[in-house]
Amino acid sequence: MSLEEKFKLLAEEVKKNMANPDIDVEVCFPGNVDEGCEPKSYPYLRVKYVIEGHDVYEKEIDIDPAHLDRDIKDLVNFVTFQIQQFMEEIDSVEYGGE
């Protein structure tokens, strides 16, 4: 499986795990010229979290080259955890820790 295929699968699995219409995940990796991706020397996921349909928060989750050989399930768990933390931080700010 190529790196590109692995990251597309990663994004699909993360989207399934999150099952949240307010979350959008874009895969960005070296050589990828998709809209919104900045050229970098390492792969990353750009996560967009939309609150109440208008406030948009973004976070980039870098995938350390040391993690590239990890099983896709491990990567999905790692990224899902990062996204959940990001959402909790935003919710805390938006809703005052309700």
Side-chain angles (χ1 to χ4, degrees):
M1 175 182 304
S2 74
L3 186 60
E4 182 176 345
E5 292 169 333
K6 189 172 191 173
F7 280 98
K8 287 183 179 177
L9 177 60
L10 174 63
E12 289 172 20
E13 292 298 317
V14 167
K15 287 175 188 177
K16 282 185 215 172
N17 276 5
M18 295 308 296
N20 185 332
D22 298 330
I23 291 286
D24 182 41
V25 178
E26 295 176 70
V27 181
C28 301
F29 47 89
N32 183 359
V33 290
D34 286 350
E35 183 178 325
C37 289
E38 297 176 25
K40 296 187 178 186
S41 61
Y42 51 85
Y44 65 97
L45 298 175
R46 174 172 285 153
V47 179
K48 292 181 184 175
Y49 182 32
V50 181
I51 302 280
E52 297 178 4
H54 55 83
D55 292 332
V56 179
Y57 295 89
E58 289 188 26
K59 176 181 178 83
E60 291 181 2
I61 299 174
D62 299 338
I63 307 297
D64 189 293
H67 294 147
L68 297 180
D69 291 333
R70 292 173 75 176
D71 180 80
I72 193 75
K73 185 176 178 180
D74 290 340
L75 284 173
V76 168
N77 289 337
F78 168 75
V79 170
T80 300
F81 179 74
Q82 296 288 322
I83 292 172
Q84 288 170 338
Q85 282 191 318
F86 170 60
M87 291 171 61
E88 288 171 10
E89 289 171 18
I90 299 304
D91 288 346
S92 176
V93 169
E94 282 285 320
Y95 304 114
E98 290 180 29

